[in-house]
Amino acid sequence: MASFIIEGGHLLKGTITPQGAKNEALQVICATLLTHEAVTIHNIPDIRDVNNLIQLLCDIGVKVRRCEKRGVKNEHTYTFQADELKLDYLESDEFVMKCAELRGSVMMIGPLLARMGRAVIAKPGGDKIGRRRLDTHFLGFEKLGAKFNRIEGRDVYEIAAQKLKGNYMLLDEASVTGTANIVMAAVFAKGTTTIYNAACEPYLQQLCKMLNQMGANISGIGSNLLTIVGVNHLHGAEHRILPDMIEVGSFIGMAAMCGDGIRIKDVSLKDLGIIPDAFKKLGVKIKVEGDDLVIPRQKHYEIQSFIDGTIMTLADAPWPGLTPDLLSVLIVVATQARGSVLFHQKMFESRLFFVDKLIDMGAQIILCDPHRAVVVGHDRKITLHGGRMTSPDIRAGIALLIAAMSATGTSRIDNIEQIDRGYEHIEDRLNALGAKITRG
């Protein structure tokens, strides 16, 4: 188990560019299974979850090539060609167990069901942040005519359909991965599929745009009502992944806590939604210069209150609401603000438990229940102090890293493989700004 050793108290200064979006990458890479032609994807992040998915595609016979530019390997551009899939391996215990270890592999089900007529799956892995049910995926597949059964003697399920048929469906929740999976299955379904209460995150929009480039017929992109007219086949395409909005938000948090003037380049501002506004509610100043965000050094930042003077509440919600992936970072930022704020994590019941580690570092936080926490800001009068902690998931891990960089003394964060799942070469990029982080 790898660790970060962080020497706190160093100010960060300079320019940093966000990686390609992890959540979009997992979707669009799985979508390459829908065609036998080559699909080229740019700005793929070099992170553990994405690399594991790429390896999984290689294992099932997808030809994966890292592209070159003027004779030099481009670490972020790949071409995928799924023209010779290993059908026997797709049903093997080895493949199913590999899928079970990688949450993103769940989005292979829709493409495999659409193209091959069947898929064998086990419960996928990922962050331990509470229940992340797959009902939405399977209810959508059933609406398209698929059947699934437990295979006796194996802890796996088979989902199959001779021919998917378009249908109307009202999703029980606006699940991003569920919507992506159903859309990818529906592109080959006979007739028209209408998905109401569909997720509409920018990454889901990007998936739909790429599928349309490949020959799909999807309308309503950007809304919660998607219409997919089935087609017979898809062809190759070229696609560029958006900057990772969660990494942009993480860098805003770092700049607020321990920055001496940070520029975040090429953020695709139009796709950030209310993320900048959430930090502004905590008093963080953000300047927009073109498509860059500049966060100046602030000795103090003050939490706003509502118009009637009541305590500020920040709650997660499906897009275009505040993404739950940034609540951990916002909580850390609030610990050094002036004022108090209530955080309401509605979507996952285990994601706030990491605040115990912040309390051990000196933060004033009241954990009301698994979904709510009140942070009383220190106004920088009391700094956090270093300690030893373990990263429970990707987003709590980066939040703890921010806390450790702003703290006095030295901290150690174990299980940083969790952080590696979502953040590309993070210690190298932050050390270039002035951080003191070593990998142990």
Side-chain angles (χ1 to χ4, degrees), residues 257-304:
M257 288 287 285
C258 48
D260 189 21
I262 298 288
R263 177 182 292 273
I264 310 171
K265 283 194 66 65
D266 302 328
V267 300
S268 190
L269 183 63
K270 64 182 178 61
D271 295 303
L272 292 182
I274 64 172
I275 288 173
D277 291 332
F279 285 95
K280 289 177 182 177
K281 288 179 180 179
L282 299 183
V284 179
K285 293 180 180 178
I286 301 174
K287 298 178 181 178
V288 177
E289 295 184 3
D291 207 26
D292 298 353
L293 298 181
V294 178
I295 295 85
R297 184 180 180 185
Q298 288 181 251
K299 290 185 177 181
H300 302 277
Y301 49 96
E302 185 171 357
I303 298 170
Q304 299 175 8

Side-chain angles (χ1 to χ4, degrees), residues 23-72:
N23 292 337
E24 179 186 343
L26 296 174
Q27 294 178 28
V28 298
I29 289 172
C30 289
T32 65
L33 292 170
L34 287 165
T35 178
H36 67 276
E37 296 185 20
V39 178
T40 299
I41 303 176
H42 303 281
N43 204 28
I44 293 179
D46 183 13
I47 56 177
R48 183 182 293 265
D49 271 12
V50 170
N51 292 339
N52 286 345
L53 180 62
I54 292 173
Q55 182 57 55
L56 191 58
L57 262 63
C58 290
D59 292 343
I60 66 175
V62 178
K63 297 168 186 171
V64 180
R65 179 174 60 87
R66 182 174 288 179
C67 299
E68 294 185 358
K69 187 176 182 179
R70 296 177 182 174
V72 178

Side-chain angles (χ1 to χ4, degrees), residues 233-263:
H233 70 277
L234 298 181
H235 52 72
E238 190 167 348
H239 177 79
R240 183 173 184 82
I241 292 173
L242 288 174
D244 195 309
M245 70 168 77
I246 311 304
E247 197 173 65
V248 172
S250 301
F251 293 154
I252 295 173
M254 290 177 187
M257 288 287 285
C258 48
D260 189 21
I262 298 288
R263 177 182 292 273

